[in-house]
Every structure is written in structure tokens, then in C-alpha cells.
Amino acid sequence: MTRRRMIVAAVAAGAGVSAAGVAARLARRYGLVPPDSGGIYGPGETLTYATQRLLTAHSTAREFSRNMISKAPFANEIPPLKDEFKRHQSAGFKEWKLTIDGMVAHPASLSLADLKALPIRSQVTELACEEGWSYIAEWIGTPLFEVLHAAGMLTQARYVIYRSIDRDWWESIDMADAMHPQTLLTYGMNDDDLPVRFGGPLRLRLPRQLGYKSLKFVDSITVTDSMKHFGKGLGSSSPEGGYAWYAGI
Amino acid sequence: MTPCYAPVVPTTVAAPATERSRHSAVVRVTHWITVFCFLALLVTGVEILLSHPRFYWGETGNVNMHPLFTLHVPSSRAMVPTGYAVLPDQNGWSRYLHFEAAWLIILTGIVYVLASLWNGHLRRDLLPAREQRNWKAYAAVLGRYLHRAPVKESGAYNAVQRAAYLGVIFGLLPLLIWTGLALSPAVASVAPWAVEALGGRQSARTLHFFATVALVLFFVVHVVMVTLAGFWSRTRAMVTGVVKEEQL
């Protein structure tokens, strides 16, 4: 190797390292780094999330005509229902409450009737499981952004956490997904109440990500600017169980 | 009479005359990164497949629907009735690694294709040479293979090799990337045509599987041919870039 080539290589390597450093800082600044960006799978996960955030900030999931609705949708296995849930179930979910707290001006607790008084939206979208199977259904509910607006979400909010009544199951999404018109607090499916097997009485439907982000039995929402103090700080219970936080793939 | 002095021996030799340059540095580095990514994608892909070893055609498919075909292997999910014991779930890390390796193989492929266009590797070594652009050239190579005649290498790829490499680089791998991206709900939201052109989400998944099978077949044949030609000399050539003259 000649001295000239060594100098060129050193300058190129230096430029590469500083470019990577600048890119990492910019990515953090613009919210392109997912909460589970550490570890050996972090680079791949960050590339996927950053690329898709730049390309899909406002895109909408494919919607289908009603005749595409699956005749035989598949209700996946659900964790055993606990006594608290069974009490709600036998009371017809009259006492089911969705609490909203964290970075909001007006923390609230909404019944299903309160939710149904807010604007209704329905969509015919596909639920795709990470395992490979899928089905199409009509999902009816209140857009999450309506609830966040009503609660007076603060401008520094960056993530919305949502939890199942069984607190082992919780997820979070960034603002691009939280404010997305297709992100529905779903209480109806195919012109009927959302069945318990499919996550009733309330499921957060997120058609631009895989099925495991569409959490069942949702009863709590927290708005935050950082995932640091929730669980292990990885964004949801999925990465704690080895699955990616962002499931847009 | 023999002169009585030591013969002059050059102290530095650029490349001994018995060695011939075979693969460029770009080809060698991208080849081995691709091998590494291919194996990572294959192992993790099989792990992901085991969670639902059934395939469908069209937009939707699940255990309540008729499959196009079922692989009779154990599954890692109790909800899929395959008649075997349930395997442990390996999907989490498999999915992380699958997509990370996908990024690496795509970036490597971009470097390889751009470099090959730039340095003439594509035109010189991969596009069929003038005398190879007829059926006879292919028949001649296949005939030699079938008769198991010793392959006399000229240091350049024959017609069948070029067709196989071009098919994998510009056919199979792009098809795998396309069918894989079609399975991403976020990508489908910006490019719905990419899913619809394949016949729907489940069709894309089935095609992703078939393309994988084709790539595995290529891999097996490739390794067999390398072994017939001399496994260690060819592998050394792909590492060091040179091949010894007597091993050609």
C-alpha cells in the first residue's frame, strides 16, 4: 500500500465514521430510532424503522371491499381470562373503562358508551399474524386520535402506551401511528360487537403493523415522551419476550 | 561450460507465473457476505415457517381455510394441527435476524451490481460471450456435464454458469426481495400494487417459499459443481483471488 492510498483510505474511513455519527444523531433527533435499538439486532431494526418512518408517515393500509371479508376469520389463542375480566364479561362490559393518563391536560376514564359517542369509523382491513396467517374483517371503532385530542394531549408527547387488562400484555406506538386515521379503538367487528375471542370488548387495531401490535382487551392508555421508565424500557412487552417493538416489518 | 555463479533471483515477485488471477476483491468480499446472509436467512426463514407450515393462494389464509398445500413437519404453534409435538417458539430472534440479514444482503447486492457495471465484470464475465449466444453452446456444456467429462477451465465462465449466475442475481434474489417486502404491512401501505401484482398477501408468501426452494437448489448444485472442480482450490480462489495454474 502506498502512502497516498493510505492517506486516502484514512480520510475515507474518517469521513465514514463521522457520517455515521451525524446520521445517528439526526436519526435520534427526528425520532427514527426504535426503543429496542440496542443489541446485535439493533442496526437492522433501526434501518427498518427509520426507512419506513420516512416512507410511510402518512400512507394508509390497504382497505378491501366488503365481499373480501373472511367467512372464517381465525381467533388466535388468547391468554387465560382472569377473574376480573370474567366479572366484566358477565356484566356485559357495562363497567369496562378505558383510562387515559400521562402527558394529557385532562386525564379521563371512558366507558364503552362514552367511546361510542365519539366519531365512529369503520374499515375493512387485513389482520396479518407474524406466524404467516391472515384474515380480513370490518373493524368498527373510534380513531385513537379523537380520544387523544379530547384528552388534550401535550405537544411533547412521543409515544402512546396501551395495555391489556392482563398487565402482562402492553404495547406502545409512536405519534405517526397514534395519530393515524386507521388506528382504531375497536369495539365492533363485521356489524356486531367485537367478540371476546377477537379481543372484545375493546381492541386497538393497527392495520399497518402485524397482528401482535393490535392488542386485545385494552383498558388503559398512557401518553409519554420516553419509554425509559416503562417495563425494561424496550417499548412494550413484545421485545421483552424477544419480538420486535416495531412490527411494520 | 556452466558459469560458476549464482543465478539472479528477483527478491520480490509480483505474482508467480504459476498463479492466475481469478476473482476481484469486490466479487470475493460480496460473495462471502452473501453466503453468510443466505445461511442466516435460510435458518431463520425455516424457523419462521415452522410457526405455520401451511401455504395458501390469494389474499387471506388461516387454519380455518383450505391450504394450497401443507408441509408435514412439526410446528412451533399448538394452534396448527400437524400431528406432531409442538416445537419451542424461535420466531422472535429469527425475525430480528431475518430482517437484519435481509438488509445486509440487499446493501451488499447494491454494491456488487454497481461495481460490476462500473468495472466491466458484468459485461465481461456474466453476460454470454459472443460465441455463447446460441443453443449449441448450452447443449455442449450440458453434454460435457452429462458425460462427466473432465471440465477444462479456461478461467472464464461457460454459457450455463453465466445463465445460472445471471438468473440468481437478477431473477431469484430480486423475486425474493419483492415477495418478502410484499409481506410487510407498512410497505404494502405505500406500494399496494406490489402485493396485488403477486395475487395477494398469501400468494406472495407462497412465492417467497418457492423462490427459496429454487435458491436452495442453486446452492446445492453450486456446491456440487465446486466440489467436482476441486473444492479446496476453488474455495481458495474465492478467498485469495488467485488459482494455481496446474489446478485450472
Short mmCIF file of all heavy atoms in Angstrom, two decimals, chain B residues 134-157:
data_model
loop_
_atom_site.label_atom_id
_atom_site.label_comp_id
_atom_site.label_asym_id
_atom_site.label_seq_id
_atom_site.Cartn_x
_atom_site.Cartn_y
_atom_site.Cartn_z
N ASN B 134 -25.88 -18.96 -28.42
CA ASN B 134 -26.69 -19.88 -29.23
C ASN B 134 -26.93 -21.14 -28.42
O ASN B 134 -26.23 -21.41 -27.44
CB ASN B 134 -25.98 -20.19 -30.55
CG ASN B 134 -24.59 -20.74 -30.31
OD1 ASN B 134 -24.43 -21.85 -29.79
ND2 ASN B 134 -23.56 -19.97 -30.65
N TRP B 135 -27.94 -21.91 -28.84
CA TRP B 135 -28.34 -23.07 -28.06
C TRP B 135 -27.24 -24.13 -28.03
O TRP B 135 -27.12 -24.87 -27.05
CB TRP B 135 -29.63 -23.68 -28.62
CG TRP B 135 -30.79 -22.77 -28.39
CD1 TRP B 135 -31.51 -22.12 -29.34
CD2 TRP B 135 -31.34 -22.37 -27.13
NE1 TRP B 135 -32.48 -21.34 -28.76
CE2 TRP B 135 -32.40 -21.49 -27.41
CE3 TRP B 135 -31.04 -22.68 -25.81
CZ2 TRP B 135 -33.15 -20.90 -26.39
CZ3 TRP B 135 -31.80 -22.11 -24.80
CH2 TRP B 135 -32.84 -21.22 -25.09
N LYS B 136 -26.44 -24.17 -29.11
CA LYS B 136 -25.38 -25.18 -29.18
C LYS B 136 -24.40 -25.03 -28.03
O LYS B 136 -23.91 -26.02 -27.48
CB LYS B 136 -24.63 -25.06 -30.51
CG LYS B 136 -25.25 -25.90 -31.62
CD LYS B 136 -24.32 -25.91 -32.83
CE LYS B 136 -25.05 -26.40 -34.06
NZ LYS B 136 -24.48 -25.83 -35.28
N ALA B 137 -24.12 -23.78 -27.66
CA ALA B 137 -23.16 -23.54 -26.58
C ALA B 137 -23.66 -24.16 -25.28
O ALA B 137 -22.90 -24.78 -24.54
CB ALA B 137 -22.93 -22.04 -26.42
N TYR B 138 -24.99 -23.99 -25.02
CA TYR B 138 -25.57 -24.55 -23.81
C TYR B 138 -25.58 -26.07 -23.88
O TYR B 138 -25.23 -26.76 -22.93
CB TYR B 138 -27.00 -24.02 -23.60
CG TYR B 138 -27.03 -22.54 -23.29
CD1 TYR B 138 -27.07 -21.60 -24.31
CD2 TYR B 138 -26.97 -22.10 -21.98
CE1 TYR B 138 -27.08 -20.24 -24.04
CE2 TYR B 138 -26.97 -20.75 -21.69
CZ TYR B 138 -27.02 -19.82 -22.72
OH TYR B 138 -27.02 -18.49 -22.44
N ALA B 139 -25.99 -26.61 -25.08
CA ALA B 139 -26.05 -28.06 -25.25
C ALA B 139 -24.66 -28.67 -25.06
O ALA B 139 -24.53 -29.74 -24.44
CB ALA B 139 -26.60 -28.39 -26.63
N ALA B 140 -23.63 -27.99 -25.56
CA ALA B 140 -22.27 -28.52 -25.45
C ALA B 140 -21.86 -28.64 -23.98
O ALA B 140 -21.30 -29.66 -23.56
CB ALA B 140 -21.30 -27.63 -26.22
N VAL B 141 -22.15 -27.59 -23.19
CA VAL B 141 -21.76 -27.61 -21.77
C VAL B 141 -22.53 -28.70 -21.04
O VAL B 141 -21.95 -29.51 -20.30
CB VAL B 141 -22.02 -26.24 -21.10
CG1 VAL B 141 -21.70 -26.31 -19.62
CG2 VAL B 141 -21.22 -25.16 -21.78
N LEU B 142 -23.86 -28.75 -21.27
CA LEU B 142 -24.67 -29.76 -20.59
C LEU B 142 -24.22 -31.17 -21.00
O LEU B 142 -24.18 -32.07 -20.16
CB LEU B 142 -26.15 -29.54 -20.92
CG LEU B 142 -26.75 -28.27 -20.30
CD1 LEU B 142 -28.19 -28.08 -20.77
CD2 LEU B 142 -26.70 -28.32 -18.78
N GLY B 143 -23.86 -31.34 -22.28
CA GLY B 143 -23.36 -32.63 -22.75
C GLY B 143 -22.10 -33.04 -22.01
O GLY B 143 -21.98 -34.18 -21.55
N ARG B 144 -21.20 -32.11 -21.85
CA ARG B 144 -19.96 -32.40 -21.11
C ARG B 144 -20.29 -32.79 -19.66
O ARG B 144 -19.72 -33.72 -19.11
CB ARG B 144 -19.04 -31.18 -21.10
CG ARG B 144 -18.28 -30.99 -22.42
CD ARG B 144 -16.95 -30.25 -22.18
NE ARG B 144 -17.14 -28.96 -21.54
CZ ARG B 144 -17.44 -27.83 -22.20
NH1 ARG B 144 -17.62 -27.86 -23.51
NH2 ARG B 144 -17.58 -26.69 -21.55
N TYR B 145 -21.25 -32.04 -19.03
CA TYR B 145 -21.63 -32.36 -17.66
C TYR B 145 -22.21 -33.77 -17.59
O TYR B 145 -21.89 -34.55 -16.69
CB TYR B 145 -22.67 -31.37 -17.13
CG TYR B 145 -22.13 -29.99 -16.80
CD1 TYR B 145 -22.98 -28.89 -16.68
CD2 TYR B 145 -20.77 -29.78 -16.59
CE1 TYR B 145 -22.50 -27.63 -16.38
CE2 TYR B 145 -20.28 -28.53 -16.29
CZ TYR B 145 -21.15 -27.45 -16.19
OH TYR B 145 -20.68 -26.21 -15.88
N LEU B 146 -23.12 -34.09 -18.55
CA LEU B 146 -23.81 -35.39 -18.51
C LEU B 146 -22.83 -36.54 -18.74
O LEU B 146 -22.98 -37.61 -18.16
CB LEU B 146 -24.93 -35.42 -19.56
CG LEU B 146 -26.14 -34.55 -19.21
CD1 LEU B 146 -27.14 -34.53 -20.35
CD2 LEU B 146 -26.81 -35.04 -17.93
N HIS B 147 -21.83 -36.32 -19.60
CA HIS B 147 -20.83 -37.37 -19.83
C HIS B 147 -19.76 -37.38 -18.75
O HIS B 147 -18.86 -38.21 -18.77
CB HIS B 147 -20.17 -37.19 -21.20
CG HIS B 147 -21.09 -37.56 -22.32
ND1 HIS B 147 -21.64 -36.62 -23.18
CD2 HIS B 147 -21.57 -38.75 -22.71
CE1 HIS B 147 -22.43 -37.24 -24.05
NE2 HIS B 147 -22.41 -38.53 -23.78
N ARG B 148 -19.91 -36.46 -17.80
CA ARG B 148 -18.96 -36.31 -16.71
C ARG B 148 -17.53 -36.22 -17.25
O ARG B 148 -16.60 -36.80 -16.69
CB ARG B 148 -19.11 -37.46 -15.70
CG ARG B 148 -20.53 -37.53 -15.15
CD ARG B 148 -20.67 -38.48 -14.01
NE ARG B 148 -19.77 -38.13 -12.92
CZ ARG B 148 -19.62 -38.88 -11.83
NH1 ARG B 148 -20.28 -40.01 -11.73
NH2 ARG B 148 -18.81 -38.52 -10.87
N ALA B 149 -17.42 -35.52 -18.36
CA ALA B 149 -16.10 -35.29 -18.95
C ALA B 149 -15.34 -34.32 -18.04
O ALA B 149 -15.96 -33.44 -17.44
CB ALA B 149 -16.25 -34.70 -20.33
N PRO B 150 -14.04 -34.47 -17.89
CA PRO B 150 -13.28 -33.52 -17.07
C PRO B 150 -13.45 -32.12 -17.64
O PRO B 150 -13.29 -31.91 -18.84
CB PRO B 150 -11.84 -34.01 -17.17
CG PRO B 150 -11.82 -34.96 -18.33
CD PRO B 150 -13.20 -35.50 -18.49
N VAL B 151 -13.85 -31.19 -16.77
CA VAL B 151 -14.12 -29.84 -17.24
C VAL B 151 -12.80 -29.09 -17.38
O VAL B 151 -12.07 -28.90 -16.42
CB VAL B 151 -15.04 -29.10 -16.26
CG1 VAL B 151 -15.31 -27.69 -16.74
CG2 VAL B 151 -16.35 -29.87 -16.12
N LYS B 152 -12.50 -28.71 -18.60
CA LYS B 152 -11.27 -27.95 -18.85
C LYS B 152 -11.61 -26.49 -18.70
O LYS B 152 -12.35 -25.93 -19.51
CB LYS B 152 -10.78 -28.26 -20.27
CG LYS B 152 -9.38 -27.76 -20.55
CD LYS B 152 -8.33 -28.64 -19.88
CE LYS B 152 -6.94 -28.00 -20.03
NZ LYS B 152 -6.15 -28.11 -18.81
N GLU B 153 -11.09 -25.88 -17.66
CA GLU B 153 -11.46 -24.49 -17.43
C GLU B 153 -10.55 -23.55 -18.16
O GLU B 153 -9.33 -23.73 -18.17
CB GLU B 153 -11.42 -24.18 -15.94
CG GLU B 153 -12.79 -24.11 -15.34
CD GLU B 153 -12.84 -23.15 -14.20
OE1 GLU B 153 -12.00 -22.23 -14.14
OE2 GLU B 153 -13.70 -23.33 -13.36
N SER B 154 -11.15 -22.54 -18.76
CA SER B 154 -10.34 -21.55 -19.45
C SER B 154 -10.14 -20.33 -18.56
O SER B 154 -9.55 -19.36 -18.97
CB SER B 154 -11.06 -21.14 -20.73
OG SER B 154 -12.32 -20.60 -20.39
N GLY B 155 -10.65 -20.39 -17.34
CA GLY B 155 -10.57 -19.22 -16.47
C GLY B 155 -11.77 -18.31 -16.64
O GLY B 155 -11.91 -17.33 -15.93
N ALA B 156 -12.65 -18.63 -17.58
CA ALA B 156 -13.86 -17.83 -17.77
C ALA B 156 -15.07 -18.73 -17.57
O ALA B 156 -14.97 -19.95 -17.69
CB ALA B 156 -13.89 -17.23 -19.16
N TYR B 157 -16.24 -18.12 -17.23
CA TYR B 157 -17.45 -18.91 -17.01
C TYR B 157 -18.00 -19.40 -18.34
O TYR B 157 -17.98 -18.67 -19.33
CB TYR B 157 -18.51 -18.09 -16.29
CG TYR B 157 -18.10 -17.64 -14.91
CD1 TYR B 157 -18.35 -16.34 -14.48
CD2 TYR B 157 -17.50 -18.52 -14.02
CE1 TYR B 157 -17.99 -15.92 -13.22
CE2 TYR B 157 -17.13 -18.11 -12.76
CZ TYR B 157 -17.38 -16.81 -12.36
OH TYR B 157 -17.03 -16.41 -11.11
#
